[in-house]
Amino acid sequence: MLDFFTIFSKGGLVLWCFQGVRGPAATAPVNALIRSVLLQERGGNNSFTHEALTLKYKLDNQFELVFVVGFQKILTLTYVDKLIDDVHKEFRDKYRNEFQQKGALGLLNGTFDFKDDFMRLLRDAEESSKVQAPTVMKTFEQSLKSQKTVKCMIETRGEKPKEKVKNKKNKGSKKDGTEAVAAPSKASAADKQLSAAGVKEELTKDEILQKNREEFFRRHMKAGEKSRSPKPDAQKEKGKKPRVWDLGNSNAKVLDYSNSATNGSAEACPVEEFDPDMALGDKNREPGRLYDLEYESDDEAEEEKVVQNSSKPSVKKGGLGGMFGMLKGLVGSKSLTRDDMDPVLEKMKDHLIAKNVAAEIAVQLCESVAKKLEGKVMGTFTTVTSTVKQALQEALVQILQPQRRVDVLRDVMDAQRHRRPYVVTFCGVNGVGKSTNLAKISFWLIENGFSVLIAACDTFRAGAVEQLRTHTRRLNALHPPESHGGRTMVQLYEKGYGKDAAGIAMEAISYARNQGFDVVLVDTAGRMQDNAPLMTALAKLIAVNAPDLVLFVGEALVGNEAVDQLVKFNKALADHSMAQTPRLIDGIVLTKFDTIDDKVGAAISMTYITSKPIVFVGTGQTYCDLRSLNAKAVVAALMKA
Ligand code: GDP
């Protein structure tokens, strides 16, 4: 039934392998598991699907081993978890001495004659699953329902059932401030007891809903309290500032678009007077350089405080204060257990959620860290908190540095060599900053000596073409043809409103090819991720024009909503594409990063879910407010207390 079972070291040495009769070679699926899960810090779940196979795995962090079993995903093998646990235990026990005494050499030179043991364990596991299979139904008298019925009858007569009284109290607690805090926690404690007694199944739907709501509010209140820590004034002053367009002419003449077939050429878009300093933002920057995202990380003192705070419980437990208490937090050569880590992980999870990381992802991340650390022998003078924190920090940096790096300048030069324009399509919902960031990217490309054709393919939103026209004018004013050897560095290609966007993009690309433009930036209409006809149109635009880069623009401001948008855009592009191998999103432009203070969780959630790199980060409303992602800066902001 199994396709394979393999045991290898984290260093990549295969120690032992069982190959099923019909199964495919283990190499490709195991390599995929290593690449997509183990190296990408996505180990929260111990199962992985590769083509027709399901892979389950277990890590032994003490001896740095990985146990992987593979079987056809259409099979439901209930014994696999038990098998993997049993094999892990037996293999460890059998070769423990070899690993402990010889270390890495033990792995290299060891002979692992494990076939008989494995076959025995496999047989046992299969047998145990067969024995458990038929479950005899309980009689009514045996079931808890019979007891409940009697109880209910007694309670409803004299007084209201406890559960209902409690729920009412909670409803009323909205008005009563003192009860508001106490009630949910009492309720959840009582509920825990109920579920422990196995009565949970008897709760009505409403009661379960109410219970979940209370649990949710309780958690949120906790997270809220933590995030409400006072901030320095300088930070408070940050936030969204209204945009002031000194060229944002409300003059009807300028907005009159009846004379449209201009293609945004320099002559048709006369350069207007405006304050270049304001449009540029930072005057002291190096032209053409895409700066890394900066972040002032916390000072060491604050970090220390976190470590000490979280090791406090161990101090209290032992009843030893001062130096001894501190030493108790040091685990020395002890190997880490789940119980050691759980309180720290719980805190980390709440912290991540408070920083806007999607709750589900925060849980998976902590689970992945736990799996990676469980059984690991800690160094002397290290606390559990600092070990967990460091592992989490490493995992976060890893997530933000996805496998595929997008180097736009290199790719543009490559396209230049092939005498064709490099095409980038921008997509996303309305108002996230597509046009603004498209203009910033144009500016950056121009400063790097590349000419840009902007294709106005948002033929839907009133003012979209005019917005791009204004940007084109400004960019031309900042980089007039005179400073580029008579060459017009940016032009707008537009055909007005209501026309087919895919067709306009196609015309723009061929226009750019004929006119020798280096880059075509295609602006598309904002659309909601659930709007099927508009998503089909976008999939068509992308399929027909085969851009080099499809960028999803999402704002950091909305946090988890941006994750939902990204996932649905990606899925919609796959579902609505006519091609066999659909073109999906290649990278992310994360905008409005300047408005979120240190709640940078959306960056983690977006890259974790899709493995897409964040190619650009928008940090304001001037042309210079464009950055590349600096994983360490984001992680520092995320870990900041
Ligand atoms: P579109 O509908 O997606 O094309 O969005 P726009 O480009 O019209 O931008 C919507 C609003 O977001 C405008 O007011 C922009 O100035 C603003 N905006 C865009 N990017 C950023 C950014 O990185 N930071 C801030 N603070 N505002 C931004």
Side-chain angles (χ1 to χ4, degrees), residues 239-243 245 428-438 440 458 461 467 471 523-524 526 553 555 590-595 617-621 625:
K240 200 167 177 183
K241 288 181 191 132
R243 177 190 211 174
W245 283 115
V429 309
N430 260 327
V432 288
K434 285 185 299 301
S435 315
T436 309
N437 286 279
L438 179 147
K440 292 184 208 171
D458 181 354
R461 177 170 66 94
Q467 188 181 356
H471 280 304
D523 187 28
T524 63
V553 186
E555 50 181 12
L590 190 60
T591 63
K592 310 190 187 180
F593 208 77
D594 52 313
T595 63
V617 183
T619 54
Q621 291 165 305
D625 289 324

Side-chain angles (χ1 to χ4, degrees), residues 100-382:
Q100 273 172 344
Q101 284 161 15
K102 299 187 198 156
L105 265 184
L107 294 181
L108 263 177
N109 302 333
T111 44
F112 300 98
D113 185 12
F114 193 63
K115 187 164 182 205
D116 292 341
D117 305 271
F118 177 77
M119 293 316 284
R120 176 173 46 80
L121 292 172
L122 179 60
R123 257 196 318 275
D124 288 354
E126 279 174 348
E127 285 304 316
S128 75
S129 77
K130 271 182 212 156
V131 173
Q132 283 170 10
T135 45
V136 185
M137 262 173 78
K138 283 182 195 168
T139 62
F140 180 70
E141 283 72 26
Q142 283 170 329
S143 77
L144 285 162
K145 233 174 206 166
S146 58
Q147 298 162 23
K148 169 89 190 287
T149 324
V150 178
K151 259 191 215 166
C152 287
M153 283 170 69
I154 297 166
E155 282 170 356
T156 40
R157 294 250 152 192
E159 49 178 298
K160 283 179 184 167
K162 270 180 196 169
E163 272 300 298
K164 282 184 186 163
V165 173
K166 192 179 65 198
N167 287 346
K168 279 217 166 164
K169 232 186 201 178
N170 291 345
K171 273 181 205 162
S173 66
K174 267 185 199 166
K175 290 170 211 157
D176 189 335
T178 47
E179 274 181 21
V181 186
S185 64
K186 267 191 211 163
S188 64
D191 286 335
K192 266 183 200 156
Q193 281 173 5
L194 273 181
S195 67
V199 191
K200 196 175 175 187
E201 65 200 53
E202 290 161 76
L203 296 177
T204 64
K205 259 189 179 171
D206 284 350
E207 284 166 340
I208 293 171
L209 261 176
Q210 175 70 17
K211 188 172 98 66
N212 289 346
R213 241 178 253 147
E214 282 161 10
E215 186 70 16
F216 174 80
F217 284 122
R218 196 169 57 81
R219 261 195 254 139
H220 260 247
M221 274 168 70
K222 257 194 206 167
E225 272 161 26
K226 271 178 211 158
S227 64
R228 253 179 266 135
S229 59
K231 286 170 196 147
D233 284 350
Q235 279 183 6
K236 271 187 195 162
E237 271 167 28
K238 277 189 195 172
K240 200 167 177 183
K241 288 181 191 132
R243 177 190 211 174
V244 185
W245 283 115
D246 53 345
L247 277 186
N249 235 317
S250 57
N251 189 338
K253 263 189 189 173
V254 175
L255 290 178
D256 179 12
Y257 208 66
S258 48
N259 178 20
S260 70
T262 55
N263 285 351
S265 62
E267 305 85 60
C269 298
V271 173
E272 290 180 33
E273 287 294 319
F274 74 104
D275 181 3
D277 287 350
M278 206 181 139
L280 272 178
D282 185 4
K283 276 183 279 175
N284 302 323
R285 91 232 127 77
E286 202 180 298
R289 180 165 160 202
L290 189 62
Y291 285 87
D292 263 359
L293 208 56
E294 293 157 18
Y295 190 81
E296 321 86 53
S297 99
D298 252 358
D299 47 38
E300 287 299 308
E302 210 159 354
E303 274 189 25
E304 269 309 300
K305 214 168 73 188
V306 179
V307 172
Q308 280 180 12
N309 278 349
S310 32
S311 56
K312 260 185 189 164
S314 67
V315 176
K316 274 185 194 162
K317 256 191 206 167
L320 302 162
M323 194 62 187
F324 292 108
M326 208 182 94
L327 285 175
K328 193 136 194 290
L330 310 174
V331 182
S333 56
K334 180 182 177 288
S335 63
L336 268 174
T337 65
R338 196 62 206 233
D339 287 347
D340 290 333
M341 289 184 288
D342 272 348
V344 185
L345 285 170
E346 189 61 28
K347 270 190 181 178
M348 292 288 172
K349 188 194 78 193
D350 289 346
H351 178 79
L352 290 176
I353 294 173
K355 290 282 176 126
N356 237 354
V357 176
E360 204 182 304
I361 293 166
V363 171
Q364 283 179 25
L365 263 168
C366 290
E367 191 57 32
S368 169
V369 167
K371 290 235 169 79
K372 209 174 146 190
L373 290 180
E374 202 172 352
K376 200 173 174 133
V377 179
M378 287 176 46
T380 334
F381 302 115
T382 346

Side-chain angles (χ1 to χ4, degrees), residues 26 33 75 270-271 354:
L33 171 77
L75 300 177
V271 173

